[in-house]
Amino acid sequence: MIKLWFQFVPREGWLPYDTEGLWAMPLTEDTARVANVPFLQDGVAEGDVVRFITNDDGRHWACEWVEASGNCTIRVLPSPNGPLGRSAQAVYEQLAPFGLGGESFSSELPLVAFTVPAGAGLGQMKTLLTRGQRDGWWHFEEACITDAWRSA
């Protein structure tokens, strides 16, 4: 495994980072398959293939998206004053019926990033996410979505 670095412009009102390192499985001398879900980088999902360059200090920097995995990246942040409080675990429990893989950012910021595989009950998941946001449970964002997600 290698650490694959992404650089981006930080979003106003969001985390102040301008890089994110994701684990990746090398495929060729300049391509790798992303092996975990991104918290900050938009437009990439676990399983996507990315081309990279290696700089003088040995860091591998993503420079081109090569192949989509068909997976989506959805991020969920529980509303501190909502029914789930600041519990990332409660977010996992609500989405457990969909069998999603995900990771939590930190206990201070209970952001949960999920990898949503194609065919994972996309319509039902979108309904639950939308209802949860409307009812004040969480905020969610579609960080990397597919046509299947859009049409569900």
Side-chain angles (χ1 to χ4, degrees), residues 14-66:
W14 190 234
L15 297 168
Y17 304 109
D18 65 355
T19 61
E20 180 174 18
L22 299 175
W23 290 109
M25 178 63 68
L27 299 175
T28 68
E29 69 179 33
D30 69 343
T31 63
R33 185 175 310 279
V34 175
N36 66 301
V37 62
F39 284 102
L40 303 172
Q41 177 63 44
D42 290 334
V44 68
E46 184 176 0
D48 287 359
V49 176
V50 176
R51 187 169 320 284
F52 62 88
I53 58 170
T54 304
N55 67 4
D56 292 340
D57 69 0
R59 278 195 173 192
H60 309 292
W61 290 94
C63 61
E64 180 184 4
W65 178 77
V66 176

mmCIF file of all heavy atoms in Angstrom, residues 14-66:
data_model
loop_
_atom_site.group_PDB
_atom_site.id
_atom_site.type_symbol
_atom_site.label_atom_id
_atom_site.label_comp_id
_atom_site.label_asym_id
_atom_site.label_seq_id
_atom_site.Cartn_x
_atom_site.Cartn_y
_atom_site.Cartn_z
ATOM 1 N N TRP A 14 -15.366 25.133 6.253
ATOM 2 C CA TRP A 14 -15.148 23.700 6.380
ATOM 3 C C TRP A 14 -13.794 23.498 7.026
ATOM 4 O O TRP A 14 -13.153 24.453 7.446
ATOM 5 C CB TRP A 14 -15.246 23.059 4.991
ATOM 6 C CG TRP A 14 -15.289 21.566 4.958
ATOM 7 C CD1 TRP A 14 -14.447 20.763 4.243
ATOM 8 C CD2 TRP A 14 -16.179 20.685 5.617
ATOM 9 N NE1 TRP A 14 -14.771 19.440 4.423
ATOM 10 C CE2 TRP A 14 -15.837 19.370 5.278
ATOM 11 C CE3 TRP A 14 -17.238 20.878 6.506
ATOM 12 C CZ2 TRP A 14 -16.500 18.254 5.768
ATOM 13 C CZ3 TRP A 14 -17.904 19.768 6.994
ATOM 14 C CH2 TRP A 14 -17.543 18.481 6.616
ATOM 15 N N LEU A 15 -13.323 22.293 7.098
ATOM 16 C CA LEU A 15 -12.026 22.020 7.702
ATOM 17 C C LEU A 15 -10.922 22.766 6.946
ATOM 18 O O LEU A 15 -10.980 22.875 5.723
ATOM 19 C CB LEU A 15 -11.768 20.513 7.691
ATOM 20 C CG LEU A 15 -12.768 19.701 8.515
ATOM 21 C CD1 LEU A 15 -12.622 18.225 8.228
ATOM 22 C CD2 LEU A 15 -12.596 19.984 9.985
ATOM 23 N N PRO A 16 -9.904 23.255 7.655
ATOM 24 C CA PRO A 16 -8.904 24.130 7.037
ATOM 25 C C PRO A 16 -7.780 23.393 6.294
ATOM 26 O O PRO A 16 -6.716 23.957 6.086
ATOM 27 C CB PRO A 16 -8.345 24.890 8.242
ATOM 28 C CG PRO A 16 -8.432 23.897 9.356
ATOM 29 C CD PRO A 16 -9.721 23.141 9.099
ATOM 30 N N TYR A 17 -7.995 22.173 5.887
ATOM 31 C CA TYR A 17 -6.948 21.399 5.221
ATOM 32 C C TYR A 17 -6.954 21.637 3.712
ATOM 33 O O TYR A 17 -7.996 21.890 3.129
ATOM 34 C CB TYR A 17 -7.143 19.915 5.490
ATOM 35 C CG TYR A 17 -7.190 19.567 6.950
ATOM 36 C CD1 TYR A 17 -8.379 19.171 7.547
ATOM 37 C CD2 TYR A 17 -6.054 19.659 7.747
ATOM 38 C CE1 TYR A 17 -8.431 18.856 8.890
ATOM 39 C CE2 TYR A 17 -6.102 19.352 9.088
ATOM 40 C CZ TYR A 17 -7.290 18.954 9.663
ATOM 41 O OH TYR A 17 -7.344 18.655 10.997
ATOM 42 N N ASP A 18 -5.781 21.509 3.099
ATOM 43 C CA ASP A 18 -5.696 21.609 1.645
ATOM 44 C C ASP A 18 -5.093 20.359 1.007
ATOM 45 O O ASP A 18 -4.857 20.313 -0.188
ATOM 46 C CB ASP A 18 -4.930 22.860 1.207
ATOM 47 C CG ASP A 18 -3.466 22.837 1.627
ATOM 48 O OD1 ASP A 18 -3.038 21.916 2.343
ATOM 49 O OD2 ASP A 18 -2.749 23.767 1.229
ATOM 50 N N THR A 19 -4.841 19.323 1.826
ATOM 51 C CA THR A 19 -4.394 18.031 1.312
ATOM 52 C C THR A 19 -5.075 16.912 2.084
ATOM 53 O O THR A 19 -5.511 17.103 3.227
ATOM 54 C CB THR A 19 -2.863 17.839 1.449
ATOM 55 O OG1 THR A 19 -2.505 17.890 2.829
ATOM 56 C CG2 THR A 19 -2.093 18.883 0.661
ATOM 57 N N GLU A 20 -5.154 15.765 1.437
ATOM 58 C CA GLU A 20 -5.639 14.557 2.102
ATOM 59 C C GLU A 20 -4.858 13.378 1.558
ATOM 60 O O GLU A 20 -4.670 13.250 0.350
ATOM 61 C CB GLU A 20 -7.139 14.334 1.860
ATOM 62 C CG GLU A 20 -7.646 13.083 2.553
ATOM 63 C CD GLU A 20 -9.151 12.889 2.464
ATOM 64 O OE1 GLU A 20 -9.800 13.511 1.605
ATOM 65 O OE2 GLU A 20 -9.682 12.088 3.262
ATOM 66 N N GLY A 21 -4.403 12.529 2.463
ATOM 67 C CA GLY A 21 -3.709 11.312 2.070
ATOM 68 C C GLY A 21 -4.639 10.113 2.197
ATOM 69 O O GLY A 21 -5.250 9.916 3.247
ATOM 70 N N LEU A 22 -4.764 9.353 1.123
ATOM 71 C CA LEU A 22 -5.594 8.142 1.123
ATOM 72 C C LEU A 22 -4.705 6.933 0.853
ATOM 73 O O LEU A 22 -3.758 7.018 0.069
ATOM 74 C CB LEU A 22 -6.671 8.231 0.040
ATOM 75 C CG LEU A 22 -7.662 9.374 0.154
ATOM 76 C CD1 LEU A 22 -8.581 9.402 -1.065
ATOM 77 C CD2 LEU A 22 -8.469 9.260 1.430
ATOM 78 N N TRP A 23 -5.028 5.817 1.460
ATOM 79 C CA TRP A 23 -4.304 4.587 1.161
ATOM 80 C C TRP A 23 -4.727 4.099 -0.216
ATOM 81 O O TRP A 23 -5.873 4.256 -0.621
ATOM 82 C CB TRP A 23 -4.574 3.524 2.217
ATOM 83 C CG TRP A 23 -3.930 3.864 3.523
ATOM 84 C CD1 TRP A 23 -4.564 4.246 4.669
ATOM 85 C CD2 TRP A 23 -2.536 3.882 3.800
ATOM 86 N NE1 TRP A 23 -3.628 4.507 5.643
ATOM 87 C CE2 TRP A 23 -2.379 4.290 5.133
ATOM 88 C CE3 TRP A 23 -1.395 3.604 3.042
ATOM 89 C CZ2 TRP A 23 -1.139 4.413 5.738
ATOM 90 C CZ3 TRP A 23 -0.143 3.727 3.651
ATOM 91 C CH2 TRP A 23 -0.031 4.122 4.975
ATOM 92 N N ALA A 24 -3.765 3.526 -0.920
ATOM 93 C CA ALA A 24 -4.038 3.038 -2.272
ATOM 94 C C ALA A 24 -3.153 1.824 -2.571
ATOM 95 O O ALA A 24 -2.039 1.712 -2.054
ATOM 96 C CB ALA A 24 -3.782 4.143 -3.295
ATOM 97 N N MET A 25 -3.674 0.959 -3.417
ATOM 98 C CA MET A 25 -2.946 -0.226 -3.860
ATOM 99 C C MET A 25 -2.321 0.078 -5.218
ATOM 100 O O MET A 25 -3.052 0.353 -6.174
ATOM 101 C CB MET A 25 -3.898 -1.419 -3.979
ATOM 102 C CG MET A 25 -3.225 -2.677 -4.476
ATOM 103 S SD MET A 25 -1.946 -3.300 -3.372
ATOM 104 C CE MET A 25 -2.918 -3.813 -1.974
ATOM 105 N N PRO A 26 -0.993 0.050 -5.322
ATOM 106 C CA PRO A 26 -0.362 0.323 -6.614
ATOM 107 C C PRO A 26 -0.783 -0.720 -7.659
ATOM 108 O O PRO A 26 -0.863 -1.913 -7.362
ATOM 109 C CB PRO A 26 1.134 0.190 -6.318
ATOM 110 C CG PRO A 26 1.266 0.291 -4.842
ATOM 111 C CD PRO A 26 -0.013 -0.215 -4.266
ATOM 112 N N LEU A 27 -1.053 -0.248 -8.875
ATOM 113 C CA LEU A 27 -1.411 -1.134 -9.983
ATOM 114 C C LEU A 27 -0.304 -1.160 -11.031
ATOM 115 O O LEU A 27 0.021 -2.210 -11.567
ATOM 116 C CB LEU A 27 -2.727 -0.680 -10.612
ATOM 117 C CG LEU A 27 -3.940 -0.676 -9.689
ATOM 118 C CD1 LEU A 27 -5.147 -0.081 -10.398
ATOM 119 C CD2 LEU A 27 -4.242 -2.083 -9.188
ATOM 120 N N THR A 28 0.235 0.017 -11.345
ATOM 121 C CA THR A 28 1.357 0.153 -12.267
ATOM 122 C C THR A 28 2.331 1.133 -11.625
ATOM 123 O O THR A 28 2.103 1.583 -10.492
ATOM 124 C CB THR A 28 0.917 0.687 -13.652
ATOM 125 O OG1 THR A 28 0.483 2.046 -13.502
ATOM 126 C CG2 THR A 28 -0.200 -0.154 -14.257
ATOM 127 N N GLU A 29 3.360 1.512 -12.340
ATOM 128 C CA GLU A 29 4.318 2.459 -11.761
ATOM 129 C C GLU A 29 3.732 3.841 -11.526
ATOM 130 O O GLU A 29 4.286 4.627 -10.767
ATOM 131 C CB GLU A 29 5.573 2.557 -12.622
ATOM 132 C CG GLU A 29 5.358 3.214 -13.966
ATOM 133 C CD GLU A 29 6.635 3.308 -14.778
ATOM 134 O OE1 GLU A 29 7.488 2.411 -14.665
ATOM 135 O OE2 GLU A 29 6.768 4.296 -15.517
ATOM 136 N N ASP A 30 2.573 4.142 -12.149
ATOM 137 C CA ASP A 30 1.982 5.469 -11.950
ATOM 138 C C ASP A 30 0.467 5.450 -11.753
ATOM 139 O O ASP A 30 -0.182 6.479 -11.869
ATOM 140 C CB ASP A 30 2.355 6.403 -13.097
ATOM 141 C CG ASP A 30 1.696 6.043 -14.414
ATOM 142 O OD1 ASP A 30 1.205 4.898 -14.560
ATOM 143 O OD2 ASP A 30 1.673 6.910 -15.308
ATOM 144 N N THR A 31 -0.111 4.294 -11.435
ATOM 145 C CA THR A 31 -1.539 4.231 -11.118
ATOM 146 C C THR A 31 -1.745 3.415 -9.847
ATOM 147 O O THR A 31 -0.953 2.535 -9.514
ATOM 148 C CB THR A 31 -2.392 3.611 -12.252
ATOM 149 O OG1 THR A 31 -2.001 2.258 -12.453
ATOM 150 C CG2 THR A 31 -2.299 4.424 -13.526
ATOM 151 N N ALA A 32 -2.831 3.737 -9.146
ATOM 152 C CA ALA A 32 -3.166 3.023 -7.912
ATOM 153 C C ALA A 32 -4.678 3.062 -7.716
ATOM 154 O O ALA A 32 -5.364 3.967 -8.187
ATOM 155 C CB ALA A 32 -2.467 3.671 -6.723
ATOM 156 N N ARG A 33 -5.185 2.044 -7.002
ATOM 157 C CA ARG A 33 -6.606 1.952 -6.668
ATOM 158 C C ARG A 33 -6.799 2.461 -5.243
ATOM 159 O O ARG A 33 -6.177 1.954 -4.305
ATOM 160 C CB ARG A 33 -7.089 0.517 -6.787
ATOM 161 C CG ARG A 33 -8.593 0.370 -6.569
ATOM 162 C CD ARG A 33 -9.089 -1.051 -6.814
ATOM 163 N NE ARG A 33 -8.648 -1.601 -8.071
ATOM 164 C CZ ARG A 33 -9.206 -1.376 -9.271
ATOM 165 N NH1 ARG A 33 -10.242 -0.559 -9.350
ATOM 166 N NH2 ARG A 33 -8.734 -1.949 -10.366
ATOM 167 N N VAL A 34 -7.653 3.471 -5.079
ATOM 168 C CA VAL A 34 -7.939 4.059 -3.768
ATOM 169 C C VAL A 34 -8.536 2.980 -2.864
ATOM 170 O O VAL A 34 -9.466 2.271 -3.255
ATOM 171 C CB VAL A 34 -8.899 5.262 -3.907
ATOM 172 C CG1 VAL A 34 -9.292 5.805 -2.548
ATOM 173 C CG2 VAL A 34 -8.261 6.349 -4.774
ATOM 174 N N ALA A 35 -7.973 2.874 -1.642
ATOM 175 C CA ALA A 35 -8.351 1.778 -0.744
ATOM 176 C C ALA A 35 -9.107 2.216 0.507
ATOM 177 O O ALA A 35 -9.410 1.383 1.352
ATOM 178 C CB ALA A 35 -7.094 1.002 -0.339
ATOM 179 N N ASN A 36 -9.389 3.502 0.645
ATOM 180 C CA ASN A 36 -10.249 3.923 1.745
ATOM 181 C C ASN A 36 -11.084 5.125 1.318
ATOM 182 O O ASN A 36 -10.858 5.705 0.270
ATOM 183 C CB ASN A 36 -9.465 4.187 3.044
ATOM 184 C CG ASN A 36 -8.523 5.353 2.979
ATOM 185 O OD1 ASN A 36 -7.611 5.389 2.159
ATOM 186 N ND2 ASN A 36 -8.732 6.310 3.866
ATOM 187 N N VAL A 37 -12.047 5.451 2.137
ATOM 188 C CA VAL A 37 -13.020 6.492 1.798
ATOM 189 C C VAL A 37 -12.448 7.873 2.137
ATOM 190 O O VAL A 37 -11.854 8.060 3.197
ATOM 191 C CB VAL A 37 -14.365 6.226 2.525
ATOM 192 C CG1 VAL A 37 -14.219 6.255 4.014
ATOM 193 C CG2 VAL A 37 -15.448 7.165 2.062
ATOM 194 N N PRO A 38 -12.585 8.845 1.226
ATOM 195 C CA PRO A 38 -12.058 10.186 1.507
ATOM 196 C C PRO A 38 -12.993 11.015 2.389
ATOM 197 O O PRO A 38 -14.208 10.971 2.239
ATOM 198 C CB PRO A 38 -11.938 10.812 0.118
ATOM 199 C CG PRO A 38 -12.885 10.066 -0.742
ATOM 200 C CD PRO A 38 -13.035 8.704 -0.156
ATOM 201 N N PHE A 39 -12.384 11.774 3.289
ATOM 202 C CA PHE A 39 -13.135 12.704 4.129
ATOM 203 C C PHE A 39 -13.211 14.093 3.531
ATOM 204 O O PHE A 39 -14.137 14.839 3.802
ATOM 205 C CB PHE A 39 -12.484 12.820 5.514
ATOM 206 C CG PHE A 39 -12.757 11.651 6.389
ATOM 207 C CD1 PHE A 39 -11.795 10.682 6.571
ATOM 208 C CD2 PHE A 39 -13.970 11.504 7.024
ATOM 209 C CE1 PHE A 39 -12.035 9.592 7.379
ATOM 210 C CE2 PHE A 39 -14.237 10.415 7.831
ATOM 211 C CZ PHE A 39 -13.257 9.453 8.002
ATOM 212 N N LEU A 40 -12.212 14.462 2.760
ATOM 213 C CA LEU A 40 -12.110 15.843 2.297
ATOM 214 C C LEU A 40 -12.112 15.974 0.783
ATOM 215 O O LEU A 40 -12.639 16.936 0.250
ATOM 216 C CB LEU A 40 -10.830 16.477 2.851
ATOM 217 C CG LEU A 40 -10.699 16.468 4.371
ATOM 218 C CD1 LEU A 40 -9.310 16.936 4.784
ATOM 219 C CD2 LEU A 40 -11.770 17.325 5.004
ATOM 220 N N GLN A 41 -11.483 15.054 0.096
ATOM 221 C CA GLN A 41 -11.353 15.143 -1.356
ATOM 222 C C GLN A 41 -12.686 14.787 -2.021
ATOM 223 O O GLN A 41 -13.211 13.711 -1.798
ATOM 224 C CB GLN A 41 -10.254 14.203 -1.854
ATOM 225 C CG GLN A 41 -10.097 14.171 -3.360
ATOM 226 C CD GLN A 41 -9.677 15.507 -3.945
ATOM 227 O OE1 GLN A 41 -8.801 16.171 -3.429
ATOM 228 N NE2 GLN A 41 -10.308 15.899 -5.024
ATOM 229 N N ASP A 42 -13.201 15.683 -2.822
ATOM 230 C CA ASP A 42 -14.419 15.418 -3.583
ATOM 231 C C ASP A 42 -14.073 14.748 -4.908
ATOM 232 O O ASP A 42 -12.950 14.866 -5.403
ATOM 233 C CB ASP A 42 -15.177 16.717 -3.858
ATOM 234 C CG ASP A 42 -15.803 17.303 -2.604
ATOM 235 O OD1 ASP A 42 -16.083 16.546 -1.659
ATOM 236 O OD2 ASP A 42 -16.012 18.534 -2.572
ATOM 237 N N GLY A 43 -15.045 14.057 -5.488
ATOM 238 C CA GLY A 43 -14.884 13.505 -6.825
ATOM 239 C C GLY A 43 -14.122 12.204 -6.902
ATOM 240 O O GLY A 43 -13.777 11.757 -7.994
ATOM 241 N N VAL A 44 -13.851 11.570 -5.780
ATOM 242 C CA VAL A 44 -13.161 10.279 -5.774
ATOM 243 C C VAL A 44 -13.836 9.370 -4.749
ATOM 244 O O VAL A 44 -14.347 9.836 -3.738
ATOM 245 C CB VAL A 44 -11.645 10.445 -5.487
ATOM 246 C CG1 VAL A 44 -11.385 10.908 -4.082
ATOM 247 C CG2 VAL A 44 -10.881 9.174 -5.788
ATOM 248 N N ALA A 45 -13.861 8.066 -5.070
ATOM 249 C CA ALA A 45 -14.474 7.087 -4.179
ATOM 250 C C ALA A 45 -13.521 5.910 -3.997
ATOM 251 O O ALA A 45 -12.634 5.663 -4.828
ATOM 252 C CB ALA A 45 -15.807 6.590 -4.756
ATOM 253 N N GLU A 46 -13.718 5.201 -2.911
ATOM 254 C CA GLU A 46 -12.947 3.987 -2.683
ATOM 255 C C GLU A 46 -13.104 3.057 -3.886
ATOM 256 O O GLU A 46 -14.207 2.857 -4.385
ATOM 257 C CB GLU A 46 -13.450 3.302 -1.414
ATOM 258 C CG GLU A 46 -12.667 2.083 -1.023
ATOM 259 C CD GLU A 46 -13.126 1.491 0.297
ATOM 260 O OE1 GLU A 46 -14.065 2.037 0.931
ATOM 261 O OE2 GLU A 46 -12.535 0.476 0.693
ATOM 262 N N GLY A 47 -11.984 2.529 -4.373
ATOM 263 C CA GLY A 47 -12.001 1.643 -5.528
ATOM 264 C C GLY A 47 -11.675 2.330 -6.842
ATOM 265 O O GLY A 47 -11.365 1.660 -7.827
ATOM 266 N N ASP A 48 -11.729 3.651 -6.902
ATOM 267 C CA ASP A 48 -11.374 4.378 -8.119
ATOM 268 C C ASP A 48 -9.884 4.201 -8.412
ATOM 269 O O ASP A 48 -9.070 4.044 -7.493
ATOM 270 C CB ASP A 48 -11.659 5.873 -7.978
ATOM 271 C CG ASP A 48 -13.135 6.227 -8.009
ATOM 272 O OD1 ASP A 48 -13.977 5.324 -8.162
ATOM 273 O OD2 ASP A 48 -13.452 7.428 -7.869
ATOM 274 N N VAL A 49 -9.540 4.246 -9.683
ATOM 275 C CA VAL A 49 -8.133 4.182 -10.090
ATOM 276 C C VAL A 49 -7.672 5.592 -10.444
ATOM 277 O O VAL A 49 -8.361 6.311 -11.187
ATOM 278 C CB VAL A 49 -7.936 3.228 -11.288
ATOM 279 C CG1 VAL A 49 -6.479 3.245 -11.764
ATOM 280 C CG2 VAL A 49 -8.374 1.809 -10.911
ATOM 281 N N VAL A 50 -6.518 5.972 -9.899
ATOM 282 C CA VAL A 50 -5.984 7.323 -10.047
ATOM 283 C C VAL A 50 -4.538 7.239 -10.528
ATOM 284 O O VAL A 50 -3.780 6.376 -10.087
ATOM 285 C CB VAL A 50 -6.059 8.064 -8.687
ATOM 286 C CG1 VAL A 50 -5.428 9.430 -8.759
ATOM 287 C CG2 VAL A 50 -7.495 8.158 -8.212
ATOM 288 N N ARG A 51 -4.173 8.135 -11.432
ATOM 289 C CA ARG A 51 -2.781 8.259 -11.861
ATOM 290 C C ARG A 51 -2.088 9.227 -10.903
ATOM 291 O O ARG A 51 -2.694 10.193 -10.424
ATOM 292 C CB ARG A 51 -2.700 8.804 -13.286
ATOM 293 C CG ARG A 51 -1.293 8.815 -13.878
ATOM 294 C CD ARG A 51 -1.273 9.118 -15.372
ATOM 295 N NE ARG A 51 -2.325 8.505 -16.160
ATOM 296 C CZ ARG A 51 -2.381 7.215 -16.540
ATOM 297 N NH1 ARG A 51 -1.428 6.394 -16.184
ATOM 298 N NH2 ARG A 51 -3.390 6.763 -17.258
ATOM 299 N N PHE A 52 -0.818 8.965 -10.622
ATOM 300 C CA PHE A 52 -0.084 9.820 -9.710
ATOM 301 C C PHE A 52 1.330 10.085 -10.232
ATOM 302 O O PHE A 52 1.829 9.366 -11.098
ATOM 303 C CB PHE A 52 -0.010 9.201 -8.306
ATOM 304 C CG PHE A 52 0.723 7.885 -8.244
ATOM 305 C CD1 PHE A 52 2.104 7.846 -8.050
ATOM 306 C CD2 PHE A 52 0.039 6.686 -8.376
ATOM 307 C CE1 PHE A 52 2.782 6.638 -7.992
ATOM 308 C CE2 PHE A 52 0.708 5.477 -8.315
ATOM 309 C CZ PHE A 52 2.083 5.447 -8.122
ATOM 310 N N ILE A 53 1.907 11.138 -9.691
ATOM 311 C CA ILE A 53 3.321 11.422 -9.921
ATOM 312 C C ILE A 53 4.009 11.336 -8.559
ATOM 313 O O ILE A 53 3.390 11.587 -7.525
ATOM 314 C CB ILE A 53 3.559 12.801 -10.576
ATOM 315 C CG1 ILE A 53 2.973 13.922 -9.724
ATOM 316 C CG2 ILE A 53 2.989 12.850 -11.982
ATOM 317 C CD1 ILE A 53 3.364 15.313 -10.182
ATOM 318 N N THR A 54 5.259 10.970 -8.566
ATOM 319 C CA THR A 54 6.027 10.893 -7.323
ATOM 320 C C THR A 54 7.023 12.042 -7.329
ATOM 321 O O THR A 54 7.821 12.171 -8.254
ATOM 322 C CB THR A 54 6.757 9.544 -7.226
ATOM 323 O OG1 THR A 54 5.788 8.493 -7.352
ATOM 324 C CG2 THR A 54 7.478 9.408 -5.894
ATOM 325 N N ASN A 55 6.962 12.888 -6.307
ATOM 326 C CA ASN A 55 7.873 14.036 -6.283
ATOM 327 C C ASN A 55 9.209 13.648 -5.653
ATOM 328 O O ASN A 55 9.419 12.506 -5.248
ATOM 329 C CB ASN A 55 7.219 15.252 -5.616
ATOM 330 C CG ASN A 55 6.970 15.065 -4.139
ATOM 331 O OD1 ASN A 55 7.331 14.052 -3.543
ATOM 332 N ND2 ASN A 55 6.337 16.052 -3.522
ATOM 333 N N ASP A 56 10.100 14.602 -5.540
ATOM 334 C CA ASP A 56 11.461 14.342 -5.077
ATOM 335 C C ASP A 56 11.533 13.789 -3.658
ATOM 336 O O ASP A 56 12.467 13.068 -3.321
ATOM 337 C CB ASP A 56 12.312 15.619 -5.162
ATOM 338 C CG ASP A 56 12.567 16.032 -6.604
ATOM 339 O OD1 ASP A 56 12.429 15.170 -7.502
ATOM 340 O OD2 ASP A 56 12.894 17.214 -6.830
ATOM 341 N N ASP A 57 10.556 14.130 -2.822
ATOM 342 C CA ASP A 57 10.594 13.617 -1.450
ATOM 343 C C ASP A 57 9.867 12.276 -1.297
ATOM 344 O O ASP A 57 9.695 11.781 -0.192
ATOM 345 C CB ASP A 57 10.071 14.655 -0.456
ATOM 346 C CG ASP A 57 8.578 14.925 -0.579
ATOM 347 O OD1 ASP A 57 7.908 14.314 -1.425
ATOM 348 O OD2 ASP A 57 8.076 15.769 0.190
ATOM 349 N N GLY A 58 9.443 11.692 -2.429
ATOM 350 C CA GLY A 58 8.834 10.362 -2.410
ATOM 351 C C GLY A 58 7.332 10.344 -2.213
ATOM 352 O O GLY A 58 6.737 9.274 -2.173
ATOM 353 N N ARG A 59 6.714 11.501 -2.094
ATOM 354 C CA ARG A 59 5.248 11.533 -1.957
ATOM 355 C C ARG A 59 4.594 11.280 -3.311
ATOM 356 O O ARG A 59 5.040 11.789 -4.332
ATOM 357 C CB ARG A 59 4.762 12.873 -1.424
ATOM 358 C CG ARG A 59 4.868 12.972 0.064
ATOM 359 C CD ARG A 59 4.059 14.135 0.568
ATOM 360 N NE ARG A 59 4.044 14.111 2.017
ATOM 361 C CZ ARG A 59 3.242 14.853 2.746
ATOM 362 N NH1 ARG A 59 2.408 15.677 2.166
ATOM 363 N NH2 ARG A 59 3.279 14.773 4.040
ATOM 364 N N HIS A 60 3.508 10.519 -3.264
ATOM 365 C CA HIS A 60 2.734 10.193 -4.465
ATOM 366 C C HIS A 60 1.526 11.134 -4.523
ATOM 367 O O HIS A 60 0.637 11.061 -3.675
ATOM 368 C CB HIS A 60 2.259 8.740 -4.422
ATOM 369 C CG HIS A 60 3.354 7.767 -4.144
ATOM 370 N ND1 HIS A 60 4.380 7.516 -5.027
ATOM 371 C CD2 HIS A 60 3.601 6.996 -3.064
ATOM 372 C CE1 HIS A 60 5.195 6.614 -4.516
ATOM 373 N NE2 HIS A 60 4.746 6.285 -3.320
ATOM 374 N N TRP A 61 1.498 12.006 -5.547
ATOM 375 C CA TRP A 61 0.442 13.007 -5.683
ATOM 376 C C TRP A 61 -0.507 12.627 -6.810
ATOM 377 O O TRP A 61 -0.079 12.391 -7.935
ATOM 378 C CB TRP A 61 1.042 14.385 -5.962
ATOM 379 C CG TRP A 61 1.737 14.930 -4.771
ATOM 380 C CD1 TRP A 61 3.066 14.833 -4.472
ATOM 381 C CD2 TRP A 61 1.132 15.626 -3.674
ATOM 382 N NE1 TRP A 61 3.318 15.438 -3.268
ATOM 383 C CE2 TRP A 61 2.156 15.938 -2.756
ATOM 384 C CE3 TRP A 61 -0.174 16.021 -3.387
ATOM 385 C CZ2 TRP A 61 1.911 16.627 -1.571
ATOM 386 C CZ3 TRP A 61 -0.413 16.707 -2.211
ATOM 387 C CH2 TRP A 61 0.613 17.001 -1.317
ATOM 388 N N ALA A 62 -1.792 12.545 -6.491
ATOM 389 C CA ALA A 62 -2.811 12.247 -7.498
ATOM 390 C C ALA A 62 -2.815 13.367 -8.534
ATOM 391 O O ALA A 62 -2.778 14.542 -8.185
ATOM 392 C CB ALA A 62 -4.181 12.132 -6.846
ATOM 393 N N CYS A 63 -2.843 12.983 -9.804
ATOM 394 C CA CYS A 63 -2.843 14.008 -10.850
ATOM 395 C C CYS A 63 -3.927 13.775 -11.898
ATOM 396 O O CYS A 63 -4.228 14.682 -12.662
ATOM 397 C CB CYS A 63 -1.474 14.101 -11.518
ATOM 398 S SG CYS A 63 -0.928 12.604 -12.339
ATOM 399 N N GLU A 64 -4.519 12.575 -11.925
ATOM 400 C CA GLU A 64 -5.537 12.301 -12.941
ATOM 401 C C GLU A 64 -6.396 11.127 -12.496
ATOM 402 O O GLU A 64 -5.903 10.106 -12.031
ATOM 403 C CB GLU A 64 -4.836 11.962 -14.262
ATOM 404 C CG GLU A 64 -5.759 11.658 -15.410
ATOM 405 C CD GLU A 64 -5.001 11.244 -16.668
ATOM 406 O OE1 GLU A 64 -3.768 11.121 -16.630
ATOM 407 O OE2 GLU A 64 -5.673 11.034 -17.690
ATOM 408 N N TRP A 65 -7.679 11.291 -12.649
ATOM 409 C CA TRP A 65 -8.624 10.218 -12.372
ATOM 410 C C TRP A 65 -8.651 9.323 -13.608
ATOM 411 O O TRP A 65 -8.778 9.807 -14.727
ATOM 412 C CB TRP A 65 -9.978 10.849 -12.073
ATOM 413 C CG TRP A 65 -11.103 9.928 -11.806
ATOM 414 C CD1 TRP A 65 -11.338 9.235 -10.655
ATOM 415 C CD2 TRP A 65 -12.168 9.604 -12.681
ATOM 416 N NE1 TRP A 65 -12.487 8.515 -10.772
ATOM 417 C CE2 TRP A 65 -13.020 8.724 -12.022
ATOM 418 C CE3 TRP A 65 -12.493 9.976 -13.972
ATOM 419 C CZ2 TRP A 65 -14.164 8.200 -12.593
ATOM 420 C CZ3 TRP A 65 -13.629 9.458 -14.539
ATOM 421 C CH2 TRP A 65 -14.443 8.585 -13.852
ATOM 422 N N VAL A 66 -8.505 8.013 -13.446
ATOM 423 C CA VAL A 66 -8.373 7.088 -14.572
ATOM 424 C C VAL A 66 -9.622 6.236 -14.780
ATOM 425 O O VAL A 66 -10.104 6.092 -15.901
ATOM 426 C CB VAL A 66 -7.145 6.159 -14.379
ATOM 427 C CG1 VAL A 66 -7.054 5.119 -15.485
ATOM 428 C CG2 VAL A 66 -5.871 6.982 -14.308
#
